[in-house]
Amino acid sequence: MRIIKNIFILALAFSTLSCSLVKTAYNNAPALIAWRLNDYFNFSEAQKAKLKPALQELHAWHRKTELPRYVALLNEINNDLSHEVNAQTACQRIESIKSNVQAIQTKFIPVIVDVADTLSDKQLQHFQQKLEKRNEEWKEEWWQETVEEQQEVRLEKSKDYAEKIYGDLNEKQITILKQSIAHHSDPAIIYAEILRRDEDALNILKALRNPAASIEEKTQLVRAGFERMQHSPNLAYQAHIDKITQQTCETIANLHASTNAKQRLHAQQWIEDYKTQFTTLQSK
C-alpha cells in the first residue's frame, strides 16, 4: 500500500525536478509507474497486460481532473508568496496536497483490487523482500548512529529544498531550519510506522486474493488501508507526525517572513515555471 501511495505522490513531487524533466516524467508516467510496480511484484505478462490500460486510463483522468487542481493550488501559493504567510495558511496548503493524494488513492483502488486478485505467493514473497530491502535503505539514509548526524542529514535536505524555492539562504534562515529540525529527529517512531504499514499492506494484498470476498468488501479493505496511512492506529506515531506537521507549518511561516524581495521573486518565478508546465500538460 505504501509503495502505491509513494508512486502517485510523484505527481506532486515533480516540482523537485527541472522543468524539462517534469514534462518528460509526466508524459511517461504510466510506463514509469508500471516499471516501478513491476520491480516490487515481478509481474507476469498477463498481469502487465491488465495493468497497462488501467494506468493509461488513470493517467488520462489525472491529466484532465487533477492537473487543474494543481494549477489552482499553485495560484494560491503564488498569492501567498506576495505577503506574509502564517502557520495556519501553510497548514491549509499542506492539507490541500493531502487531499490531492487522497483523490488519486481513491481512483486507484479498483486497479489494486483487480491486480491483487492475481498475485501469487511467490510474488507476495518478492514484495516482502523488496520492502525489507527498502527499509534497510531508509535506515541508511535517515537513521544515523547519533542524533547530531541525523540532524545534519535533515538540515542538508531541508536546505537544498528551500533553496530550490528561494535561492541561497542566509545564516539566519539556516538557523530557522536548524531550530525546526532539532524537534524532528525520532527515527525509531517513524520506522515503527513503516513496519506497521508494511504488515498492513501484505495483509491487505493477501485478503484481496480471497475468492469469497465481494468487490465491495475488497474495495473497503483497500480504502481502510489508505485511511490508516492518513490516520495511523499507531498513536505514538500519529501524535509525533501531528506535532511535526504543526512545527513544519510554523517553520514555513518563519522562513518566509525572513526572506527579502529577491528571494520572494525567486520563489514566485519558481511557482510560475511549474504552473506553466502543469497548464501546458493539461492540453496534451
PDB file of all heavy atoms in Angstrom, residues 45-78:
ATOM      1  N   GLU A  45       3.393 -11.579 -17.753  1.00  0.00           N
ATOM      2  CA  GLU A  45       2.982 -10.835 -18.932  1.00  0.00           C
ATOM      3  C   GLU A  45       1.488 -10.544 -18.904  1.00  0.00           C
ATOM      4  O   GLU A  45       1.034  -9.475 -19.337  1.00  0.00           O
ATOM      5  CB  GLU A  45       3.360 -11.605 -20.198  1.00  0.00           C
ATOM      6  CG  GLU A  45       4.863 -11.674 -20.453  1.00  0.00           C
ATOM      7  CD  GLU A  45       5.526 -10.306 -20.516  1.00  0.00           C
ATOM      8  OE1 GLU A  45       4.955  -9.413 -21.193  1.00  0.00           O
ATOM      9  OE2 GLU A  45       6.578 -10.116 -19.879  1.00  0.00           O
ATOM     10  N   ALA A  46       0.708 -11.499 -18.410  1.00  0.00           N
ATOM     11  CA  ALA A  46      -0.736 -11.302 -18.328  1.00  0.00           C
ATOM     12  C   ALA A  46      -1.072 -10.168 -17.354  1.00  0.00           C
ATOM     13  O   ALA A  46      -1.980  -9.355 -17.616  1.00  0.00           O
ATOM     14  CB  ALA A  46      -1.417 -12.592 -17.892  1.00  0.00           C
ATOM     15  N   GLN A  47      -0.362 -10.089 -16.240  1.00  0.00           N
ATOM     16  CA  GLN A  47      -0.600  -9.020 -15.273  1.00  0.00           C
ATOM     17  C   GLN A  47      -0.191  -7.666 -15.842  1.00  0.00           C
ATOM     18  O   GLN A  47      -0.867  -6.661 -15.623  1.00  0.00           O
ATOM     19  CB  GLN A  47       0.156  -9.317 -13.977  1.00  0.00           C
ATOM     20  CG  GLN A  47      -0.439 -10.468 -13.185  1.00  0.00           C
ATOM     21  CD  GLN A  47       0.481 -10.945 -12.076  1.00  0.00           C
ATOM     22  OE1 GLN A  47       1.719 -10.927 -12.196  1.00  0.00           O
ATOM     23  NE2 GLN A  47      -0.116 -11.392 -10.973  1.00  0.00           N
ATOM     24  N   LYS A  48       0.917  -7.626 -16.567  1.00  0.00           N
ATOM     25  CA  LYS A  48       1.349  -6.384 -17.208  1.00  0.00           C
ATOM     26  C   LYS A  48       0.300  -5.907 -18.211  1.00  0.00           C
ATOM     27  O   LYS A  48       0.006  -4.716 -18.307  1.00  0.00           O
ATOM     28  CB  LYS A  48       2.689  -6.588 -17.908  1.00  0.00           C
ATOM     29  CG  LYS A  48       3.873  -6.804 -16.984  1.00  0.00           C
ATOM     30  CD  LYS A  48       5.146  -7.058 -17.780  1.00  0.00           C
ATOM     31  CE  LYS A  48       6.325  -7.363 -16.871  1.00  0.00           C
ATOM     32  NZ  LYS A  48       7.559  -7.671 -17.639  1.00  0.00           N
ATOM     33  N   ALA A  49      -0.249  -6.856 -18.953  1.00  0.00           N
ATOM     34  CA  ALA A  49      -1.265  -6.510 -19.950  1.00  0.00           C
ATOM     35  C   ALA A  49      -2.522  -5.956 -19.285  1.00  0.00           C
ATOM     36  O   ALA A  49      -3.196  -5.082 -19.841  1.00  0.00           O
ATOM     37  CB  ALA A  49      -1.607  -7.745 -20.783  1.00  0.00           C
ATOM     38  N   LYS A  50      -2.844  -6.461 -18.104  1.00  0.00           N
ATOM     39  CA  LYS A  50      -4.008  -5.963 -17.373  1.00  0.00           C
ATOM     40  C   LYS A  50      -3.732  -4.575 -16.778  1.00  0.00           C
ATOM     41  O   LYS A  50      -4.608  -3.712 -16.757  1.00  0.00           O
ATOM     42  CB  LYS A  50      -4.367  -6.949 -16.259  1.00  0.00           C
ATOM     43  CG  LYS A  50      -5.495  -6.481 -15.357  1.00  0.00           C
ATOM     44  CD  LYS A  50      -5.821  -7.504 -14.281  1.00  0.00           C
ATOM     45  CE  LYS A  50      -6.556  -8.697 -14.855  1.00  0.00           C
ATOM     46  NZ  LYS A  50      -7.127  -9.567 -13.788  1.00  0.00           N
ATOM     47  N   LEU A  51      -2.508  -4.374 -16.325  1.00  0.00           N
ATOM     48  CA  LEU A  51      -2.155  -3.131 -15.651  1.00  0.00           C
ATOM     49  C   LEU A  51      -2.019  -1.963 -16.624  1.00  0.00           C
ATOM     50  O   LEU A  51      -2.397  -0.831 -16.304  1.00  0.00           O
ATOM     51  CB  LEU A  51      -0.849  -3.314 -14.875  1.00  0.00           C
ATOM     52  CG  LEU A  51      -0.370  -2.158 -14.001  1.00  0.00           C
ATOM     53  CD1 LEU A  51      -1.363  -1.884 -12.876  1.00  0.00           C
ATOM     54  CD2 LEU A  51       1.008  -2.477 -13.418  1.00  0.00           C
ATOM     55  N   LYS A  52      -1.497  -2.218 -17.810  1.00  0.00           N
ATOM     56  CA  LYS A  52      -1.181  -1.145 -18.755  1.00  0.00           C
ATOM     57  C   LYS A  52      -2.374  -0.262 -19.080  1.00  0.00           C
ATOM     58  O   LYS A  52      -2.299   0.971 -18.924  1.00  0.00           O
ATOM     59  CB  LYS A  52      -0.573  -1.737 -20.033  1.00  0.00           C
ATOM     60  CG  LYS A  52      -0.148  -0.672 -21.044  1.00  0.00           C
ATOM     61  CD  LYS A  52       0.512  -1.301 -22.255  1.00  0.00           C
ATOM     62  CE  LYS A  52       0.921  -0.232 -23.259  1.00  0.00           C
ATOM     63  NZ  LYS A  52       1.576  -0.836 -24.453  1.00  0.00           N
ATOM     64  N   PRO A  53      -3.505  -0.804 -19.546  1.00  0.00           N
ATOM     65  CA  PRO A  53      -4.637   0.089 -19.869  1.00  0.00           C
ATOM     66  C   PRO A  53      -5.211   0.783 -18.637  1.00  0.00           C
ATOM     67  O   PRO A  53      -5.713   1.904 -18.739  1.00  0.00           O
ATOM     68  CB  PRO A  53      -5.666  -0.859 -20.508  1.00  0.00           C
ATOM     69  CG  PRO A  53      -5.289  -2.219 -20.019  1.00  0.00           C
ATOM     70  CD  PRO A  53      -3.803  -2.210 -19.873  1.00  0.00           C
ATOM     71  N   ALA A  54      -5.134   0.126 -17.472  1.00  0.00           N
ATOM     72  CA  ALA A  54      -5.634   0.750 -16.243  1.00  0.00           C
ATOM     73  C   ALA A  54      -4.810   1.985 -15.889  1.00  0.00           C
ATOM     74  O   ALA A  54      -5.359   3.019 -15.481  1.00  0.00           O
ATOM     75  CB  ALA A  54      -5.612  -0.262 -15.106  1.00  0.00           C
ATOM     76  N   LEU A  55      -3.496   1.886 -16.051  1.00  0.00           N
ATOM     77  CA  LEU A  55      -2.625   3.024 -15.760  1.00  0.00           C
ATOM     78  C   LEU A  55      -2.818   4.139 -16.788  1.00  0.00           C
ATOM     79  O   LEU A  55      -2.775   5.326 -16.440  1.00  0.00           O
ATOM     80  CB  LEU A  55      -1.154   2.578 -15.738  1.00  0.00           C
ATOM     81  CG  LEU A  55      -0.749   1.687 -14.572  1.00  0.00           C
ATOM     82  CD1 LEU A  55       0.705   1.267 -14.701  1.00  0.00           C
ATOM     83  CD2 LEU A  55      -0.969   2.385 -13.232  1.00  0.00           C
ATOM     84  N   GLN A  56      -3.040   3.772 -18.029  1.00  0.00           N
ATOM     85  CA  GLN A  56      -3.276   4.787 -19.057  1.00  0.00           C
ATOM     86  C   GLN A  56      -4.580   5.537 -18.792  1.00  0.00           C
ATOM     87  O   GLN A  56      -4.652   6.750 -18.962  1.00  0.00           O
ATOM     88  CB  GLN A  56      -3.294   4.123 -20.433  1.00  0.00           C
ATOM     89  CG  GLN A  56      -1.929   3.631 -20.884  1.00  0.00           C
ATOM     90  CD  GLN A  56      -1.973   2.840 -22.178  1.00  0.00           C
ATOM     91  OE1 GLN A  56      -3.011   2.270 -22.538  1.00  0.00           O
ATOM     92  NE2 GLN A  56      -0.856   2.798 -22.887  1.00  0.00           N
ATOM     93  N   GLU A  57      -5.601   4.791 -18.366  1.00  0.00           N
ATOM     94  CA  GLU A  57      -6.878   5.425 -18.039  1.00  0.00           C
ATOM     95  C   GLU A  57      -6.730   6.351 -16.835  1.00  0.00           C
ATOM     96  O   GLU A  57      -7.274   7.463 -16.810  1.00  0.00           O
ATOM     97  CB  GLU A  57      -7.926   4.351 -17.750  1.00  0.00           C
ATOM     98  CG  GLU A  57      -9.303   4.916 -17.430  1.00  0.00           C
ATOM     99  CD  GLU A  57     -10.324   3.836 -17.139  1.00  0.00           C
ATOM    100  OE1 GLU A  57     -10.045   2.665 -17.446  1.00  0.00           O
ATOM    101  OE2 GLU A  57     -11.393   4.157 -16.590  1.00  0.00           O
ATOM    102  N   LEU A  58      -5.994   5.882 -15.834  1.00  0.00           N
ATOM    103  CA  LEU A  58      -5.767   6.706 -14.650  1.00  0.00           C
ATOM    104  C   LEU A  58      -4.997   7.968 -15.010  1.00  0.00           C
ATOM    105  O   LEU A  58      -5.282   9.056 -14.505  1.00  0.00           O
ATOM    106  CB  LEU A  58      -5.005   5.895 -13.603  1.00  0.00           C
ATOM    107  CG  LEU A  58      -4.702   6.605 -12.280  1.00  0.00           C
ATOM    108  CD1 LEU A  58      -6.000   6.916 -11.538  1.00  0.00           C
ATOM    109  CD2 LEU A  58      -3.797   5.751 -11.409  1.00  0.00           C
ATOM    110  N   HIS A  59      -4.023   7.821 -15.897  1.00  0.00           N
ATOM    111  CA  HIS A  59      -3.217   8.964 -16.319  1.00  0.00           C
ATOM    112  C   HIS A  59      -4.072   9.997 -17.045  1.00  0.00           C
ATOM    113  O   HIS A  59      -3.942  11.214 -16.817  1.00  0.00           O
ATOM    114  CB  HIS A  59      -2.087   8.468 -17.234  1.00  0.00           C
ATOM    115  CG  HIS A  59      -1.062   9.510 -17.537  1.00  0.00           C
ATOM    116  ND1 HIS A  59      -0.644   9.789 -18.815  1.00  0.00           N
ATOM    117  CD2 HIS A  59      -0.362  10.358 -16.727  1.00  0.00           C
ATOM    118  CE1 HIS A  59       0.265  10.743 -18.787  1.00  0.00           C
ATOM    119  NE2 HIS A  59       0.460  11.106 -17.532  1.00  0.00           N
ATOM    120  N   ALA A  60      -4.968   9.527 -17.912  1.00  0.00           N
ATOM    121  CA  ALA A  60      -5.858  10.437 -18.642  1.00  0.00           C
ATOM    122  C   ALA A  60      -6.770  11.182 -17.672  1.00  0.00           C
ATOM    123  O   ALA A  60      -7.009  12.392 -17.821  1.00  0.00           O
ATOM    124  CB  ALA A  60      -6.677   9.655 -19.659  1.00  0.00           C
ATOM    125  N   TRP A  61      -7.294  10.451 -16.680  1.00  0.00           N
ATOM    126  CA  TRP A  61      -8.128  11.093 -15.654  1.00  0.00           C
ATOM    127  C   TRP A  61      -7.325  12.136 -14.883  1.00  0.00           C
ATOM    128  O   TRP A  61      -7.805  13.254 -14.634  1.00  0.00           O
ATOM    129  CB  TRP A  61      -8.654  10.035 -14.682  1.00  0.00           C
ATOM    130  CG  TRP A  61      -9.182  10.609 -13.398  1.00  0.00           C
ATOM    131  CD1 TRP A  61     -10.416  11.126 -13.173  1.00  0.00           C
ATOM    132  CD2 TRP A  61      -8.457  10.759 -12.167  1.00  0.00           C
ATOM    133  NE1 TRP A  61     -10.516  11.577 -11.874  1.00  0.00           N
ATOM    134  CE2 TRP A  61      -9.333  11.369 -11.235  1.00  0.00           C
ATOM    135  CE3 TRP A  61      -7.168  10.417 -11.750  1.00  0.00           C
ATOM    136  CZ2 TRP A  61      -8.948  11.651  -9.920  1.00  0.00           C
ATOM    137  CZ3 TRP A  61      -6.776  10.707 -10.450  1.00  0.00           C
ATOM    138  CH2 TRP A  61      -7.665  11.310  -9.552  1.00  0.00           C
ATOM    139  N   HIS A  62      -6.091  11.779 -14.528  1.00  0.00           N
ATOM    140  CA  HIS A  62      -5.261  12.686 -13.749  1.00  0.00           C
ATOM    141  C   HIS A  62      -4.959  13.953 -14.545  1.00  0.00           C
ATOM    142  O   HIS A  62      -5.009  15.071 -14.010  1.00  0.00           O
ATOM    143  CB  HIS A  62      -3.959  11.993 -13.356  1.00  0.00           C
ATOM    144  CG  HIS A  62      -3.128  12.769 -12.389  1.00  0.00           C
ATOM    145  ND1 HIS A  62      -2.235  13.742 -12.794  1.00  0.00           N
ATOM    146  CD2 HIS A  62      -3.064  12.745 -11.034  1.00  0.00           C
ATOM    147  CE1 HIS A  62      -1.646  14.259 -11.730  1.00  0.00           C
ATOM    148  NE2 HIS A  62      -2.142  13.689 -10.655  1.00  0.00           N
ATOM    149  N   ARG A  63      -4.664  13.795 -15.827  1.00  0.00           N
ATOM    150  CA  ARG A  63      -4.365  14.955 -16.666  1.00  0.00           C
ATOM    151  C   ARG A  63      -5.570  15.896 -16.750  1.00  0.00           C
ATOM    152  O   ARG A  63      -5.437  17.118 -16.665  1.00  0.00           O
ATOM    153  CB  ARG A  63      -3.957  14.489 -18.065  1.00  0.00           C
ATOM    154  CG  ARG A  63      -3.378  15.607 -18.932  1.00  0.00           C
ATOM    155  CD  ARG A  63      -3.208  15.163 -20.372  1.00  0.00           C
ATOM    156  NE  ARG A  63      -2.261  14.091 -20.546  1.00  0.00           N
ATOM    157  CZ  ARG A  63      -0.944  14.248 -20.683  1.00  0.00           C
ATOM    158  NH1 ARG A  63      -0.426  15.456 -20.637  1.00  0.00           N
ATOM    159  NH2 ARG A  63      -0.156  13.208 -20.862  1.00  0.00           N
ATOM    160  N   LYS A  64      -6.754  15.323 -16.901  1.00  0.00           N
ATOM    161  CA  LYS A  64      -7.965  16.122 -17.079  1.00  0.00           C
ATOM    162  C   LYS A  64      -8.478  16.717 -15.776  1.00  0.00           C
ATOM    163  O   LYS A  64      -8.910  17.882 -15.746  1.00  0.00           O
ATOM    164  CB  LYS A  64      -9.061  15.249 -17.708  1.00  0.00           C
ATOM    165  CG  LYS A  64     -10.379  15.974 -17.925  1.00  0.00           C
ATOM    166  CD  LYS A  64     -11.415  15.055 -18.543  1.00  0.00           C
ATOM    167  CE  LYS A  64     -12.752  15.779 -18.743  1.00  0.00           C
ATOM    168  NZ  LYS A  64     -13.780  14.904 -19.352  1.00  0.00           N
ATOM    169  N   THR A  65      -8.403  15.928 -14.696  1.00  0.00           N
ATOM    170  CA  THR A  65      -9.053  16.322 -13.449  1.00  0.00           C
ATOM    171  C   THR A  65      -8.100  16.918 -12.418  1.00  0.00           C
ATOM    172  O   THR A  65      -8.417  17.923 -11.767  1.00  0.00           O
ATOM    173  CB  THR A  65      -9.768  15.110 -12.822  1.00  0.00           C
ATOM    174  OG1 THR A  65     -10.679  14.564 -13.773  1.00  0.00           O
ATOM    175  CG2 THR A  65     -10.520  15.512 -11.561  1.00  0.00           C
ATOM    176  N   GLU A  66      -6.932  16.296 -12.248  1.00  0.00           N
ATOM    177  CA  GLU A  66      -6.050  16.687 -11.152  1.00  0.00           C
ATOM    178  C   GLU A  66      -5.086  17.813 -11.505  1.00  0.00           C
ATOM    179  O   GLU A  66      -4.791  18.662 -10.663  1.00  0.00           O
ATOM    180  CB  GLU A  66      -5.268  15.465 -10.671  1.00  0.00           C
ATOM    181  CG  GLU A  66      -6.163  14.387 -10.056  1.00  0.00           C
ATOM    182  CD  GLU A  66      -6.992  14.925  -8.912  1.00  0.00           C
ATOM    183  OE1 GLU A  66      -6.434  15.225  -7.852  1.00  0.00           O
ATOM    184  OE2 GLU A  66      -8.222  15.059  -9.093  1.00  0.00           O
ATOM    185  N   LEU A  67      -4.583  17.841 -12.740  1.00  0.00           N
ATOM    186  CA  LEU A  67      -3.662  18.925 -13.088  1.00  0.00           C
ATOM    187  C   LEU A  67      -4.292  20.302 -12.907  1.00  0.00           C
ATOM    188  O   LEU A  67      -3.617  21.218 -12.411  1.00  0.00           O
ATOM    189  CB  LEU A  67      -3.150  18.747 -14.522  1.00  0.00           C
ATOM    190  CG  LEU A  67      -2.081  17.666 -14.724  1.00  0.00           C
ATOM    191  CD1 LEU A  67      -1.611  17.660 -16.172  1.00  0.00           C
ATOM    192  CD2 LEU A  67      -0.898  17.859 -13.785  1.00  0.00           C
ATOM    193  N   PRO A  68      -5.565  20.500 -13.267  1.00  0.00           N
ATOM    194  CA  PRO A  68      -6.169  21.811 -12.972  1.00  0.00           C
ATOM    195  C   PRO A  68      -6.190  22.135 -11.485  1.00  0.00           C
ATOM    196  O   PRO A  68      -6.060  23.309 -11.092  1.00  0.00           O
ATOM    197  CB  PRO A  68      -7.588  21.661 -13.531  1.00  0.00           C
ATOM    198  CG  PRO A  68      -7.471  20.636 -14.613  1.00  0.00           C
ATOM    199  CD  PRO A  68      -6.454  19.658 -14.098  1.00  0.00           C
ATOM    200  N   ARG A  69      -6.348  21.111 -10.655  1.00  0.00           N
ATOM    201  CA  ARG A  69      -6.325  21.345  -9.201  1.00  0.00           C
ATOM    202  C   ARG A  69      -4.924  21.773  -8.759  1.00  0.00           C
ATOM    203  O   ARG A  69      -4.779  22.621  -7.867  1.00  0.00           O
ATOM    204  CB  ARG A  69      -6.732  20.072  -8.452  1.00  0.00           C
ATOM    205  CG  ARG A  69      -8.180  19.651  -8.681  1.00  0.00           C
ATOM    206  CD  ARG A  69      -8.509  18.383  -7.919  1.00  0.00           C
ATOM    207  NE  ARG A  69      -8.464  18.585  -6.480  1.00  0.00           N
ATOM    208  CZ  ARG A  69      -8.501  17.593  -5.587  1.00  0.00           C
ATOM    209  NH1 ARG A  69      -8.568  16.333  -5.994  1.00  0.00           N
ATOM    210  NH2 ARG A  69      -8.466  17.858  -4.298  1.00  0.00           N
ATOM    211  N   TYR A  70      -3.881  21.189  -9.382  1.00  0.00           N
ATOM    212  CA  TYR A  70      -2.520  21.584  -9.042  1.00  0.00           C
ATOM    213  C   TYR A  70      -2.268  23.042  -9.428  1.00  0.00           C
ATOM    214  O   TYR A  70      -1.638  23.795  -8.674  1.00  0.00           O
ATOM    215  CB  TYR A  70      -1.500  20.692  -9.757  1.00  0.00           C
ATOM    216  CG  TYR A  70      -1.535  19.237  -9.374  1.00  0.00           C
ATOM    217  CD1 TYR A  70      -0.728  18.318 -10.028  1.00  0.00           C
ATOM    218  CD2 TYR A  70      -2.362  18.767  -8.349  1.00  0.00           C
ATOM    219  CE1 TYR A  70      -0.742  16.972  -9.684  1.00  0.00           C
ATOM    220  CE2 TYR A  70      -2.389  17.443  -8.002  1.00  0.00           C
ATOM    221  CZ  TYR A  70      -1.585  16.542  -8.671  1.00  0.00           C
ATOM    222  OH  TYR A  70      -1.599  15.216  -8.329  1.00  0.00           O
ATOM    223  N   VAL A  71      -2.762  23.426 -10.601  1.00  0.00           N
ATOM    224  CA  VAL A  71      -2.587  24.805 -11.045  1.00  0.00           C
ATOM    225  C   VAL A  71      -3.301  25.762 -10.091  1.00  0.00           C
ATOM    226  O   VAL A  71      -2.762  26.817  -9.731  1.00  0.00           O
ATOM    227  CB  VAL A  71      -3.105  24.979 -12.488  1.00  0.00           C
ATOM    228  CG1 VAL A  71      -3.105  26.458 -12.887  1.00  0.00           C
ATOM    229  CG2 VAL A  71      -2.246  24.176 -13.459  1.00  0.00           C
ATOM    230  N   ALA A  72      -4.495  25.393  -9.670  1.00  0.00           N
ATOM    231  CA  ALA A  72      -5.236  26.232  -8.727  1.00  0.00           C
ATOM    232  C   ALA A  72      -4.481  26.370  -7.408  1.00  0.00           C
ATOM    233  O   ALA A  72      -4.414  27.461  -6.818  1.00  0.00           O
ATOM    234  CB  ALA A  72      -6.629  25.647  -8.479  1.00  0.00           C
ATOM    235  N   LEU A  73      -3.910  25.262  -6.940  1.00  0.00           N
ATOM    236  CA  LEU A  73      -3.134  25.300  -5.700  1.00  0.00           C
ATOM    237  C   LEU A  73      -1.893  26.168  -5.868  1.00  0.00           C
ATOM    238  O   LEU A  73      -1.549  26.955  -4.968  1.00  0.00           O
ATOM    239  CB  LEU A  73      -2.747  23.880  -5.285  1.00  0.00           C
ATOM    240  CG  LEU A  73      -1.852  23.748  -4.044  1.00  0.00           C
ATOM    241  CD1 LEU A  73      -2.528  24.379  -2.834  1.00  0.00           C
ATOM    242  CD2 LEU A  73      -1.535  22.281  -3.767  1.00  0.00           C
ATOM    243  N   LEU A  74      -1.227  26.043  -7.007  1.00  0.00           N
ATOM    244  CA  LEU A  74      -0.040  26.866  -7.253  1.00  0.00           C
ATOM    245  C   LEU A  74      -0.401  28.341  -7.306  1.00  0.00           C
ATOM    246  O   LEU A  74       0.366  29.196  -6.851  1.00  0.00           O
ATOM    247  CB  LEU A  74       0.638  26.426  -8.556  1.00  0.00           C
ATOM    248  CG  LEU A  74       1.361  25.078  -8.506  1.00  0.00           C
ATOM    249  CD1 LEU A  74       1.839  24.677  -9.897  1.00  0.00           C
ATOM    250  CD2 LEU A  74       2.532  25.116  -7.541  1.00  0.00           C
ATOM    251  N   ASN A  75      -1.572  28.657  -7.835  1.00  0.00           N
ATOM    252  CA  ASN A  75      -2.025  30.051  -7.834  1.00  0.00           C
ATOM    253  C   ASN A  75      -2.196  30.571  -6.411  1.00  0.00           C
ATOM    254  O   ASN A  75      -1.828  31.709  -6.099  1.00  0.00           O
ATOM    255  CB  ASN A  75      -3.348  30.180  -8.592  1.00  0.00           C
ATOM    256  CG  ASN A  75      -3.160  30.238 -10.096  1.00  0.00           C
ATOM    257  OD1 ASN A  75      -2.157  30.751 -10.581  1.00  0.00           O
ATOM    258  ND2 ASN A  75      -4.117  29.708 -10.835  1.00  0.00           N
ATOM    259  N   GLU A  76      -2.758  29.729  -5.550  1.00  0.00           N
ATOM    260  CA  GLU A  76      -2.938  30.122  -4.148  1.00  0.00           C
ATOM    261  C   GLU A  76      -1.583  30.339  -3.476  1.00  0.00           C
ATOM    262  O   GLU A  76      -1.389  31.313  -2.733  1.00  0.00           O
ATOM    263  CB  GLU A  76      -3.729  29.048  -3.408  1.00  0.00           C
ATOM    264  CG  GLU A  76      -5.184  28.955  -3.837  1.00  0.00           C
ATOM    265  CD  GLU A  76      -5.920  27.830  -3.128  1.00  0.00           C
ATOM    266  OE1 GLU A  76      -5.250  27.011  -2.455  1.00  0.00           O
ATOM    267  OE2 GLU A  76      -7.159  27.760  -3.237  1.00  0.00           O
ATOM    268  N   ILE A  77      -0.657  29.423  -3.732  1.00  0.00           N
ATOM    269  CA  ILE A  77       0.669  29.545  -3.124  1.00  0.00           C
ATOM    270  C   ILE A  77       1.381  30.789  -3.645  1.00  0.00           C
ATOM    271  O   ILE A  77       2.041  31.515  -2.882  1.00  0.00           O
ATOM    272  CB  ILE A  77       1.502  28.279  -3.410  1.00  0.00           C
ATOM    273  CG1 ILE A  77       0.882  27.078  -2.700  1.00  0.00           C
ATOM    274  CG2 ILE A  77       2.951  28.473  -2.948  1.00  0.00           C
ATOM    275  CD1 ILE A  77       1.521  25.751  -3.042  1.00  0.00           C
ATOM    276  N   ASN A  78       1.245  31.040  -4.943  1.00  0.00           N
ATOM    277  CA  ASN A  78       1.889  32.221  -5.516  1.00  0.00           C
ATOM    278  C   ASN A  78       1.340  33.494  -4.889  1.00  0.00           C
ATOM    279  O   ASN A  78       2.089  34.445  -4.618  1.00  0.00           O
ATOM    280  CB  ASN A  78       1.674  32.236  -7.026  1.00  0.00           C
ATOM    281  CG  ASN A  78       2.745  33.026  -7.753  1.00  0.00           C
ATOM    282  OD1 ASN A  78       3.776  33.359  -7.185  1.00  0.00           O
ATOM    283  ND2 ASN A  78       2.501  33.331  -9.012  1.00  0.00           N
TER     284      ASN A  78
END
